[in-house]
Each structure stands twice: as C-alpha cells, then as structure tokens.
Amino acid sequence: MVIDERPIGVFDSGIGGLTVVREIIRQLPGESVLFFGDTARLPYGPKSKETVMLFARQNAHFLMNRGVRSIVIACNTASAVALPALKQEYSVPVLGVIEPGARGAAAATKSGRIGVIGTRGTIASGAYEKALLAINPDFEVHSAPCPLLVPLAEEGWVDHEITRSVIAEYVEPLLEQAIDTLILGCTHFPVLKNAIRQVTGGEIKLIDNAIETARSLAASIGPNPDPGRESSHNFVVSDVPHRFREEAELFLGRPIGRVERIFPEHLEEIYGEQ
Amino acid sequence: MVIDERPIGVFDSGIGGLTVVREIIRQLPGESVLFFGDTARLPYGPKSKETVMLFARQNAHFLMNRGVRSIVIACNTASAVALPALKQEYSVPVLGVIEPGARGAAAATKSGRIGVIGTRGTIASGAYEKALLAINPDFEVHSAPCPLLVPLAEEGWVDHEITRSVIAEYVEPLLEQAIDTLILGCTHFPVLKNAIRQVTGGEIKLIDNAIETARSLAASIGPNPDPGRESSHNFVVSDVPHRFREEAELFLGRPIGRVERIFPEHLEEIYGEQ
C-alpha cells in the first residue's frame, strides 16, 4: 500500500486557523501539516469579497506549489467567499470551515433555532444560513457580526470582564431569539469559548468549527494506515508581527517550532506564474 | 507668482488618517489633497518593521507617481518606522505625525510628565519618547500600547461604556504616573477624544496629532497665496471594505465624494518600476 506522505495544507488570514491545525494534529495523528498564515495582510473579515478572493487564490497557489495533498481554508471569511472557486480550480480536496460547522450545528440542535457569530465578512456573506437551510429548510437562523472578538482574542483578554461585556452586547439579541445552538463562526473564537459560555449559560450548545472541520477532513482523506509514523508540522507566515509566538501558541495549544516567512510579493509571483 | 497646484499627498494604513485630511482642509483652505488609504492591507500597527517599511515605500511611490507636492505619513506606525528613509528618498517635503505631536505635547506640558498611547508598533518603536527627549531630555515619558482602541473606533463605539472601560484599563497606569499631557498617538484616537477625556478628566491636556500635523504642514509649505481658489479632495483606497463610507465620514467629519480603488498588486508594480 502506498502511503500519501504529502502534508495537509491549511491557510488562514492570520493565526486563528491554528485552532484548526490543533484539531487536525489531535484527530489525524501521523499526518503532516503545512500551515500558511497571511499575517502581513490580515484581517480578511472587514475586507471586500474581491480582495478576499484574490488573497485566497494566492494562498492556495502557494500551498499547491509546496505539494500539499489537500487544502483546508481555516478562515471563515475566506471559506465564505472563495470555497466554491477553489474547489473547481484544484484537483486535490478543498475544504472550508463553514459546511462542517453547519453540519455540527444541525446535528446538535433540538429546536432548530441556531445562532451564528462571526466577522462582518462572514455574516454579510450569509454562508452559514445557506449551508444550514440546505440541510434543513425549517431551521431558523439568527446571525450577529462580532468584529471586536478577534482583537480581544489577539490581545489575550480571554478571561476578562470587558470581553464578557462585549460578548453579551453581541450575543444577547440572539439569546432573545431562543436559540439552542450557537456556531462559533470564526477560528479565533474557540479560545474565547469559556467567556462565551459564561454569557450563554450551559444550556446552549457551542459549535467549534475546528473540531468539525478536522472530522470532515478525516472523512475526506480516509484513515491514516500508519498513525504512528513520523509527521512534520510546518508553519509559514507572510509577516512575523509583535507577540507572534505568544499568540500562535495560544491558538495552537502547544509550542510552535520554526516559523518560515514569505513576503506577500512572493505570493503574487507564484500566483502570476500559474 | 507661480501657484503650486499639485495636491498634498497623504497616506495611511487605512482611513484613520482622514482625521489629518480633515485638519488639512480646515487649516489650509485652497490646497488640494490626494489621500491614499491602504485598506486592503490594514492595520499596520501589529505588523513587523520590515513589512510596514515595504508598504510605506509602495504607498509613497504611488503618491509621487500622481504628482504630489509633499507627502504626509498620516499613520503613526508608518511614521515611526519609515519617516527617516522616505525623507531621504524623496525631494518633496515628507512629514510624519510623530514630531508634530511631540512638539505639541512639549508646548503643552507644565510638569514635563507626558503620556503616550498608540498601537503596539508605534509604542514598541519608542519614536515618541525619542522625539520628546530630543526636545527636552528632562521630560519623563510614560507609554501604553492600546491595540483595542482602533477596532472600537472602527466599530463606531465612540460613546460606549465598554470603550470607556477599555480606555480606563489602558490609561490608568499612566494617570498613576501623574502625567499632565497625553499624546493621542494614533490617527484613530481623535474620534474617541470625548471618551478618553471622560477617563482622564479635564485637567490632562490631550494632544491631537491631526491638528499639530496640519500646523507643521502649513509651516513647511508656506501660506497659500490664493486660499479662495478651487481645490479638489481625492480619495484612493486599496479596498472598499464593509461600511467604508460610514467609517470614512466619521473620520473625515464630512461626506466623502467619489472614491477610487487601486489593487495592492498595482502598488507593487509602480514600486517595481522605480
């Protein structure tokens, strides 16, 4: 049997996508991962569709150039905007985080009343609503853009009174709609899970896309015939910003090894060559 | 007498720099302005020096290509990192926002105890401290990075209890140092001036760089011989993000006219040609 040793490619606008890498490492032992974080041009959340599409294409080309066996778009905004196009453009499996999150929520809800929180870009796209209604047209979906949660997570205020107040401000209108399930529609939000739970209470199920996405990936590429084999986890970013290591380890949940840097122009060169 | 009709070029990582444009329009009637906001790649605050330097050079080239008579770096992070290099590289006057802010604070302080708030990039650069100590080595400077204030301003929470709590969290350690003057070292902060004043109280002087920078610019280019002449204000951005117009008008303080868009690759092309 031939073992596919090519790494799983994962990209994000920044380092929030490391919450997905963390789950891939946990759920798919023995698989190598190549992560690219576009830290020079982050965030994607507030930017226009055209710009996000362009950046996503460049990032996917970069990963393909490095010989990945699949592409995981570990960014809700980029998944919402670019998944259909990238699926068509590549022969390897391309996964986003939105469909897995929607499937997880559909399995968890009893009342069919589902809340979604995310960046402005993700919420404006209506991508979660579409994915949920495709599963069950009777679902009732309530969404709220939460642009301040990304900077709060990056500031490391994960257990802070102000963070709970901001979450309450954003989430209370959803709670008033009697949702029983809440999708954390941004890869930064899992690190705020405790603070979010303090606002929502224990009754409401929180759907963590990172867990669901790693599960979908495992289903898509099949079981690893040799989970004990040596694997590598490599990290490439377009900038090494202030406090990079500290933030990256918060999202990855373990020390991050060597980090390679590639300038944004180089992404465009690779893209131009195709 | 020959009147210089070329516009004043102003660039920023995003649209916070429109607070500087607002003051230029107010203080220099009859002067045309060409503003470039790098909204596709914002923010610069958390990014590394190398990346900020590269982006600043591309932005300056773009403005020069359009025939500006001077360049105002209306971004604290880019001023801190790129001003000395850009001054050397161009024959037109190049101004940042840091030296004017420092001069304003030096004129305002009585005790010589000066506070500075800004992004991580600006504070980490130590640029305000250097500029203030060059004016008077006896000044005592206390600084605090305030990364959450930019997203709060962009969210439009300019008069919000949470914003006041965040400001208090950041600024109280400076107040404990008995500062009598506080530099608003980020072009986003003037829109939060009321909230900041509610935290600092009326005794502490707030230095608004936008006002000081327009004053320095007026001194540098001299009086306009025909302040009543027709002038144009043009706005170019690298992305038109969600809620662009709403946010832009908050910072500019007036309706914004036609906005031109130029993709980031084009900035790099222009830069490559030089």
Side-chain angles (χ1 to χ4, degrees):
Chain A
M1 176 168 198
V2 178
I3 296 181
D4 192 339
E5 294 196 344
R6 290 174 302 167
I8 293 159
V10 181
F11 78 82
D12 182 23
S13 59
I15 57 177
L18 291 174
T19 57
V20 178
V21 173
R22 176 187 196 154
E23 274 302 315
I24 293 173
I25 293 172
R26 202 180 63 83
Q27 293 186 34
L28 291 93
E31 294 291 347
S32 291
V33 177
L34 173 64
F35 174 82
F36 174 68
D38 194 9
T39 45
R41 305 186 297 191
L42 67 79
Y44 291 178
K47 291 168 191 170
S48 73
K49 271 189 200 179
E50 281 165 284
T51 292
V52 172
M53 178 65 91
L54 175 74
F55 290 170
R57 282 201 164 107
Q58 291 172 346
N59 301 345
H61 271 76
F62 167 74
L63 290 174
M64 288 302 289
N65 236 30
R66 293 274 176 115
V68 297
R69 67 183 292 197
S70 67
I71 295 175
V72 179
I73 310 177
C75 169
N76 282 266
T77 310
S79 295
V81 169
L83 180 65
L86 295 186
K87 262 185 171 168
Q88 281 210 322
E89 289 164 19
Y90 295 104
S91 54
V92 302
V94 182
L95 277 87
V97 288
I98 289 180
E99 282 163 24
R103 279 198 298 274
T109 186
K110 294 223 163 69
S111 68
R113 302 175 74 89
I114 299 168
V116 185
I117 54 176
T119 64
R120 279 197 196 288
T122 300
I123 299 303
S125 75
Y128 275 104
E129 195 156 11
K130 273 174 236 154
L132 287 164
L133 296 180
I135 297 170
N136 184 342
D138 293 333
F139 282 158
E140 201 179 297
V141 184
H142 298 278
S143 307
C146 303
L148 287 168
L149 298 192
V150 169
L152 282 164
E154 285 176 349
E155 182 68 328
W157 289 14
V158 296
D159 181 31
H160 195 295
E161 192 46 46
I162 286 174
T163 302
R164 284 185 287 274
S165 303
V166 173
I167 293 168
E169 179 103 5
Y170 286 138
V171 170
E172 268 160 15
L174 302 181
L175 300 181
E176 282 163 19
Q177 297 298 328
I179 58 167
D180 74 345
T181 303
L182 179 64
I183 298 177
L184 309 183
C186 174
T187 50
H188 278 71
F189 296 175
V191 301
L192 299 174
K193 215 190 265 182
N194 286 338
I196 293 170
R197 204 185 301 280
Q198 283 167 28
V199 173
T200 59
E203 296 295 291
I204 290 176
K205 287 168 211 112
L206 302 184
I207 304 300
D208 177 343
N209 287 7
I211 296 171
E212 303 297 336
T213 303
R215 207 169 278 164
S216 290
L217 177 67
S220 146
I221 66 173
N224 182 338
D226 180 13
R229 77 175 167 194
E230 204 168 313
S231 59
S232 63
H233 308 132
N234 289 305
F235 304 93
V236 186
V237 292
S238 54
D239 190 22
V240 181
H242 307 290
R243 303 202 323 153
F244 172 76
R245 208 160 273 276
E246 200 178 334
E247 284 179 24
E249 292 177 358
L250 173 71
F251 292 107
L252 189 62
R254 59 162 74 191
I256 195 164
R258 202 178 72 82
V259 172
E260 181 189 346
R261 179 178 181 174
I262 162 171
F263 280 95
E265 301 91 287
H266 188 54
L267 294 173
E268 281 151 24
E269 263 167 49
I270 293 170
Y271 185 58
E273 279 163 13
Q274 287 279 132
Chain B
M1 175 169 197
V2 178
I3 294 182
D4 192 339
E5 293 195 346
R6 291 173 301 166
I8 294 160
V10 181
F11 79 81
D12 182 22
S13 59
I15 57 177
L18 291 173
T19 56
V20 177
V21 173
R22 175 186 196 154
E23 274 302 315
I24 292 173
I25 293 172
R26 202 179 63 84
Q27 293 187 34
L28 291 92
E31 294 291 346
S32 292
V33 177
L34 174 64
F35 173 82
F36 174 68
D38 193 9
T39 45
R41 305 187 295 192
L42 67 78
Y44 291 178
K47 290 167 192 171
S48 72
K49 271 189 200 177
E50 281 165 285
T51 292
V52 173
M53 178 65 91
L54 175 73
F55 290 170
R57 282 202 164 108
Q58 291 172 346
N59 301 345
H61 271 76
F62 167 73
L63 291 174
M64 288 302 291
N65 235 30
R66 293 272 178 116
V68 297
R69 68 184 291 198
S70 66
I71 295 174
V72 178
I73 311 176
C75 169
N76 283 265
T77 309
S79 296
V81 169
L83 180 65
L86 295 186
K87 264 185 170 168
Q88 281 210 324
E89 289 164 19
Y90 294 105
S91 54
V92 303
V94 182
L95 277 86
V97 288
I98 288 179
E99 281 162 26
R103 279 197 300 274
T109 186
K110 293 225 166 67
S111 68
R113 302 174 74 89
I114 299 168
V116 185
I117 55 177
T119 64
R120 278 196 195 289
T122 301
I123 300 303
S125 75
Y128 275 104
E129 195 157 11
K130 272 174 237 153
L132 286 164
L133 296 181
I135 297 170
N136 184 342
D138 292 332
F139 283 158
E140 201 179 297
V141 185
H142 298 277
S143 307
C146 302
L148 288 167
L149 298 191
V150 169
L152 283 163
E154 285 177 349
E155 183 67 329
W157 289 15
V158 295
D159 181 29
H160 195 295
E161 191 46 45
I162 286 175
T163 303
R164 284 186 287 273
S165 302
V166 172
I167 292 167
E169 178 104 6
Y170 287 138
V171 170
E172 269 160 14
L174 301 181
L175 300 181
E176 283 164 18
Q177 298 297 329
I179 57 167
D180 74 345
T181 303
L182 178 64
I183 298 178
L184 309 182
C186 173
T187 50
H188 278 71
F189 296 174
V191 301
L192 299 175
K193 215 191 265 184
N194 286 338
I196 294 169
R197 205 185 301 280
Q198 282 167 29
V199 172
T200 59
E203 296 295 291
I204 290 177
K205 288 168 211 111
L206 302 184
I207 303 301
D208 178 343
N209 288 7
I211 296 171
E212 303 297 336
T213 302
R215 206 168 279 164
S216 290
L217 177 67
S220 145
I221 66 174
N224 182 338
D226 180 13
R229 76 173 169 196
E230 204 170 312
S231 59
S232 63
H233 307 133
N234 289 305
F235 304 93
V236 186
V237 292
S238 53
D239 190 23
V240 181
H242 308 290
R243 303 202 323 152
F244 172 75
R245 208 161 274 274
E246 199 178 334
E247 284 179 23
E249 292 176 359
L250 173 70
F251 291 108
L252 189 62
R254 59 163 73 190
I256 194 163
R258 203 178 71 82
V259 173
E260 181 190 345
R261 179 178 182 175
I262 162 170
F263 280 95
E265 302 90 286
H266 188 55
L267 293 174
E268 281 152 25
E269 263 167 49
I270 294 169
Y271 185 59
E273 278 163 15
Q274 289 278 134

